[in-house]
Amino acid sequence: MADDKPKVQEIRQSENRFLGSDIFESGKYVFSARNGRGSVTEPARDVPVYHECDVLVVGGGPAGTAAALAAARTGADVVVMERYNHLGGLSTGGVVIWIDRMTDWSGNLVIRGFAEEVLDRLPDEGKAGPDRTLWGRRDDALAKYWRLRTSAFHGIVTWAPTIDPERLKLTSQEMLIGAGVRIVYHSWAAVPILEDGAVTGVIFESKEGRQALKAKVVVDCTGDGDVFARAGAGFETDIEEGDVHHSMNTGFMLGGVDMQTWLDFRLNDEAGFSQINQLGRETLGFFQAPYVSWRDDIALFLGPRQSGLSALNVDDITEVEIRSHRFMQAHCEFFRQHAPGFRDAYMLLSAPQLGVRHTRRLGGLGRIERGQWSAGQALPDEVGVSPSMSPKFPVISVPYSALVPVRLNGLLAAGRHISCDANSHGFMREIPQCWLTGHAAGAAAGIAANRALQPRDIDIAELQATLRKQGVYLRDPSEAPARALDAADAS
């Protein structure tokens, strides 16, 4: 596989051009370095138990919401703990309202289950994207139209809708309540409870103070592996500063715009669009063009992206937020003055949730690796199927072993911190893939709790049957791998 690296770089460069955002290194900080020294001793104390359940899902983002629903549908008693006042994570509070590709390069919907159900439940006015009859089409005019609307890649129309974040918050919440899931908002898991090498709950903080929540199985859906890292599980943190997949930002939306006017300008006046990009960089020192949203009068910005800063460092996180708020004001003023369709634009919302792409990745029993991209084969413990990065590759089999720590019991991991290499993380961190792995982990946790088993000991065939019953798309390992599109197909 000596030529893998150039191919991966080519794919990343292509995606970065699509994303269309500058990447900024850390530079100087607004505040001086912290001056703390030494330590203090926290006295031992009894912590009251808030609740006991079968399955505790820590984090109510895309993975956590899917995990909670899947676990509840196995009959387990489920609690989901979320630090904010809503579910959906980056897809709602992070205003990452462009949901990445859920179809393969032939137009088949492969990320299904919770992902398909939650989007189907959104009203028509709460989502925008190509009609199902267009998925997989390789018509130049269609692809050009939908590329500007974030739903065509490599000349192929895909299902990658934009959604109303408030609709998704409400729909996700009501789905969980309807399934009997207990939601605990405004609570932050601080320390895992460990007994005989197994996670049996968490100590959490809220306005009520410090409390404990006990569970038979815990699913870490924090996105950063906070629970499994603090419980002693192995993990990787190989972050590349120049990689768009490893940067941070706070997204924002501008209201009062005319996106159709902007898209017509971008489509028909390439020289003018290039001049605006150049002027933006000269004027602001950074620049990002807007994306469409679910409405023509709202523009979405998912950057500028900042590298060299860690989402595990409170000073770095603060720095990103300060810069992002300044970016929002500067972009709004610039677009009002120079961009067609933005004369009446105003600052509508900066995301209340930081846009983190990469911190930790679990050291799992198995993992998704670049070497398997070309195989297209269903793994024996497949729990989901992901679209690939490029038409050069078939779909990717997601194994259950990538959700299971090497040694730690009582816990599963789902979301962007699952076990995979850095290249595979580029797509496994996306929202649909988080729905996918969350659904798998939740179903597995429910089975483990119901059968008094450790998650690593459950029957894979039972898990796969449960997932299929819940609408997940899985293949049989005996099936022939799907053919990747060749260059002629993708042109």
Side-chain angles (χ1 to χ4, degrees):
M1 305 296 288
D3 62 343
D4 283 353
K5 189 172 183 180
K7 287 182 179 178
V8 173
Q9 289 175 340
E10 176 187 343
I11 293 167
R12 285 181 170 176
Q13 288 166 1
S14 174
E15 184 167 344
N16 290 356
R17 286 195 296 270
F18 180 86
L19 290 168
S21 170
D22 292 340
I23 302 176
F24 303 92
E25 296 182 357
S26 54
K28 295 181 179 179
Y29 287 70
V30 172
F31 300 115
S32 59
R34 64 184 81 175
N35 65 3
R37 295 185 180 85
S39 62
V40 298
T41 299
E42 184 177 5
R45 53 177 165 164
D46 292 330
V47 177
V49 176
Y50 164 79
H51 194 73
E52 296 185 30
C53 61
D54 294 329
V55 175
L56 168 61
V57 179
V58 182
T65 307
L69 187 69
R73 287 180 173 171
T74 69
D77 176 26
V78 181
V79 174
V80 60
M81 177 177 293
E82 169 54 45
R83 58 177 168 161
Y84 295 111
N85 69 345
H86 60 268
L87 300 173
L90 286 180
S91 63
T92 55
V95 300
V96 185
I97 58 173
W98 158 31
I99 307 301
D100 206 0
R101 295 165 293 122
M102 300 172 66
T103 48
D104 66 15
W105 298 107
S106 296
N108 301 306
L109 188 65
V110 294
I111 297 186
R112 300 186 60 187
F114 176 87
E116 181 180 20
E117 181 178 352
V118 74
L119 291 179
D120 282 350
R121 290 196 182 203
L122 295 182
D124 289 342
E125 64 267 26
K127 57 191 172 187
D131 185 83
R132 186 180 291 263
T133 59
L134 302 180
W135 301 352
R137 292 279 296 275
R138 294 190 282 276
D139 176 85
D140 288 344
L142 279 174
K144 192 171 186 179
Y145 177 88
W146 284 110
R147 184 181 187 277
L148 292 178
R149 292 159 178 82
T150 64
S151 283
F153 305 80
H154 301 284
I156 301 171
V157 180
T158 68
W159 178 233
T162 51
I163 55 91
D164 179 345
E166 294 303 322
R167 291 282 193 177
L168 185 56
K169 287 178 187 177
L170 180 61
T171 300
S172 300
Q173 173 182 285
E174 296 308 307
M175 287 173 70
L176 295 199
I177 292 173
V181 175
R182 184 187 189 97
I183 301 172
V184 183
Y185 285 138
H186 295 293
S187 297
W188 193 304
V191 181
I193 301 170
L194 284 168
E195 299 176 8
D196 299 323
V199 178
T200 59
V202 298
I203 305 294
F204 70 98
E205 295 278 359
S206 73
K207 287 292 185 179
E208 291 188 44
R210 202 167 177 87
Q211 295 175 295
L213 207 159
K214 299 277 288 179
K216 297 175 183 175
V217 179
V218 175
V219 185
D220 185 345
C221 295
T222 60
D224 301 310
D226 294 336
V227 179
F228 69 66
R230 293 168 189 171
F235 57 86
E236 296 177 298
T237 58
D238 48 342
I239 294 176
E240 299 176 24
E241 283 200 14
D243 193 325
V244 68
H245 299 296
H246 294 177
S247 57
M248 283 190 290
N249 66 279
T250 297
F252 59 89
M253 296 188 290
L254 301 184
V257 307
D258 182 350
M259 283 302 289
Q260 190 57 55
T261 296
W262 167 257
L263 293 176
D264 289 343
F265 163 73
R266 182 168 179 175
L267 181 65
N268 299 314
D269 189 352
E270 293 185 6
F273 177 65
S274 178
Q275 289 172 2
I276 282 185
N277 276 263
Q278 181 177 350
L279 180 63
R281 291 187 176 93
E282 292 173 353
T283 305
L284 305 175
F286 52 83
F287 187 76
Q288 188 200 24
Y291 300 106
V292 297
S293 74
W294 76 104
R295 293 172 57 104
D296 284 340
D297 58 349
I298 295 176
L300 169 67
F301 291 79
L302 292 178
R305 296 166 175 85
Q306 302 166 68
S307 69
L309 297 162
S310 171
L312 302 177
N313 180 299
V314 68
D315 294 330
D316 284 2
I317 292 171
T318 301
E319 183 70 22
V320 170
E321 298 287 17
I322 290 172
R323 294 181 190 180
S324 293
H325 294 148
R326 291 173 174 175
F327 290 161
M328 181 183 185
Q329 180 189 24
H331 273 67
C332 184
E333 293 176 354
F334 177 87
F335 272 79
R336 271 202 300 247
Q337 294 177 29
H338 302 288
F342 281 78
R343 182 183 61 186
D344 299 321
Y346 60 90
M347 293 188 292
L348 177 63
L349 175 72
S350 62
Q353 188 165 341
L354 179 65
V356 179
R357 291 170 177 80
H358 184 279
T359 50
R360 307 180 182 103
R361 301 192 314 275
L362 175 72
L365 287 176
R367 71 177 193 161
I368 303 167
E369 297 182 334
R370 168 63 183 82
Q372 84 179 73
W373 291 9
S374 300
Q377 184 66 52
L379 297 172
D381 62 339
E382 180 174 281
V383 290
V385 175
S386 170
S388 63
M389 290 279 284
S390 160
K392 298 177 182 179
F393 304 103
V395 294
I396 310 296
S397 183
V398 179
Y400 177 59
S401 56
L403 315 181
V404 184
V406 173
R407 284 179 294 274
L408 189 65
N409 281 325
L411 181 136
L412 290 166
R416 68 172 182 259
H417 56 220
I418 67 164
S419 181
C420 61
D421 63 17
N423 291 324
S424 302
H425 182 265
F427 59 90
M428 287 307 302
R429 67 174 175 82
E430 298 289 354
I431 288 162
Q433 284 78 1
C434 290
W435 281 332
L436 182 161
T437 57
H439 195 145
I447 292 170
N450 292 338
R451 300 202 178 282
L453 295 171
Q454 290 298 334
R456 71 183 68 249
D457 296 327
I458 67 170
D459 181 68
I460 295 299
E462 181 182 5
L463 173 58
Q464 291 170 332
T466 299
L467 291 172
R468 287 190 176 99
K469 186 177 179 180
Q470 294 187 3
V472 174
Y473 171 67
L474 298 178
R475 302 165 298 162
D476 188 282
S478 63
E479 293 180 20
R483 182 181 70 88
L485 298 177
D486 58 31
D489 292 327
S491 63

